[in-house]
């Protein structure tokens, strides 16, 4: 990644003045997850478990979403809770984020390995920088997932480019987002994503201002 691309994903130096670690325990689909959050200026927004990720996990739980046997890639995974849930339910999962987030992701995958082993395969953790190296990844996914990854307008064209490549063979996208008007999040779903995708709002939490969208690539 060159310097210009790094600047597209800024780290707020004042976000975490102190470096510390916190563990949180969550339960979804009868499975317990212990997620470490390594708060530091280096990780920035990749450190916490965001509410939009919990909403997506709860959505899969409430809908009894069939994840077993699915080939899944998660973008901007942060702590990795969404991808880890999918893997614990029997999916073949690739969990991605910027290189700086990979150690936290790998640590959380290791900490959440079931006592009897993964029902399918252990999740793969690899870096993926949007708009740069998505073509190093295949396009034969069943699902592409993302939670709270739509918050910085400069990255929207890169995210759209990445989603388009990953979905060329028919993958379905599920994105969960805090709808931050000040960051142009609604514009991404109203204007940017529909340029290439059929977009459907599948869940709306009015109180927490979190939406979950389903998207499929338009026929060329």
């Amino acid at each position: 990644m060159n310097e210009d691309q790094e600047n597209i994903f800024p780290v707020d130096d004042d976000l975490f003045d102190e470096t510390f670690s916190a563990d949180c325990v969550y339960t979804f689909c009868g499975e317990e997850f212990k997620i470490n959050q390594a708060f530091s200026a280096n990780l920035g927004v990749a450190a916490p478990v965001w509410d939009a990720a919990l909403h997506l996990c709860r959505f899969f739980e409430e809908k009894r979403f069939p994840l077993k046997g699915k080939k899944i890639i998660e973008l901007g995974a942060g702590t990795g809770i969404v991808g880890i849930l999918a893997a614990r339910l029997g999916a073949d999962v690739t969990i991605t984020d910027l290189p700086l987030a990979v150690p936290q992701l790998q640590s959380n995958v290791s900490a959440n390995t079931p006592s009897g082993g993964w029902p399918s395969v252990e999740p793969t953790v690899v870096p993926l920088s949007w708009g740069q190296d998505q073509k190093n990844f295949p396009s034969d996914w069943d699902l592409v997932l993302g939670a709270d990854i739509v918050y910085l307008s400069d990255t929207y064209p890169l995210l759209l480019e990445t989603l388009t490549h990953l979905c060329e063979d028919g993958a379905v996208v599920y994105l969960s987002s805090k709808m931050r008007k000040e960051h142009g999040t609604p514009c991404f779903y109203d204007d940017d994503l529909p340029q290439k995708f059929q977009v459907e709002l599948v869940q709306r939490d009015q109180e927490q201002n979190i939406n979950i969208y389903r998207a499929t690539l338009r026929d060329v």
Side-chain angles (χ1 to χ4, degrees):
M1 180 183 296
N2 61 38
E3 184 176 350
D4 289 340
Q5 286 169 313
E6 287 181 346
N7 290 338
I8 290 174
F9 300 89
V11 172
D12 185 342
D13 291 335
D14 297 325
L15 186 59
F16 304 116
D17 291 331
E18 298 180 3
T19 298
F20 63 97
S21 180
D23 288 327
C24 289
V25 177
Y26 305 94
T27 301
F28 294 105
C29 303
E31 301 278 336
E32 185 175 278
F33 303 88
K34 185 177 181 180
I35 301 296
N36 180 260
Q37 303 169 95
F39 295 99
S40 69
N42 287 335
L43 271 181
V45 296
V49 175
W50 295 99
D51 287 339
L54 300 179
H55 271 63
L56 190 54
C57 290
R58 195 169 299 115
F59 173 81
F60 290 142
E61 178 181 52
E62 292 174 352
K63 300 297 183 183
R64 297 183 179 181
F65 201 93
L67 295 171
K68 184 177 181 180
K70 301 293 187 184
K71 185 176 180 182
I72 296 173
I73 185 167
E74 182 184 5
L75 303 179
T79 63
I81 186 170
V82 175
I84 291 170
L85 168 64
R88 288 275 291 267
L89 294 177
D92 178 354
V93 182
T94 297
I95 304 176
T96 74
D97 206 320
L98 292 172
L100 57 83
V102 166
Q104 175 177 250
L105 284 169
Q106 190 60 66
S107 175
N108 279 328
V109 167
S110 298
N112 288 279
T113 301
S115 58
W118 296 94
S120 178
V121 295
E122 180 177 347
T124 300
V125 177
V126 288
L128 195 169
S129 300
W130 304 342
Q132 178 183 347
D133 55 11
Q134 68 273 1
K135 291 191 177 179
N136 296 331
F137 293 76
S139 301
D140 61 346
W141 311 96
D142 295 307
L143 298 172
V144 179
L145 308 179
D148 229 348
I149 61 175
V150 182
Y151 61 88
L152 197 61
S153 59
D154 286 345
T155 69
Y156 297 168
L158 306 178
L159 176 56
L160 184 59
E161 183 180 346
T162 300
L163 289 171
T164 299
H165 169 73
L166 295 176
C167 295
E168 283 179 353
D169 291 346
V172 178
V173 181
Y174 282 89
L175 298 177
S176 178
S177 286
K178 186 87 167 180
M179 301 304 289
R180 301 178 178 90
K181 289 184 179 179
E182 68 275 17
H183 292 166
T185 305
C187 292
F188 175 80
Y189 290 106
D190 292 341
D191 302 325
D192 297 332
L193 193 57
Q195 293 176 20
K196 296 288 186 70
F197 288 80
Q198 296 279 358
V199 182
E200 176 188 3
L201 175 64
V202 294
Q203 189 176 88
R204 165 73 177 156
D205 186 317
Q206 189 75 32
E207 183 177 345
Q208 294 200 41
N209 193 30
I210 293 174
N211 289 358
I212 297 177
Y213 293 89
R214 180 184 188 273
T216 53
L217 195 62
R218 293 180 182 274
D219 293 335
V220 178

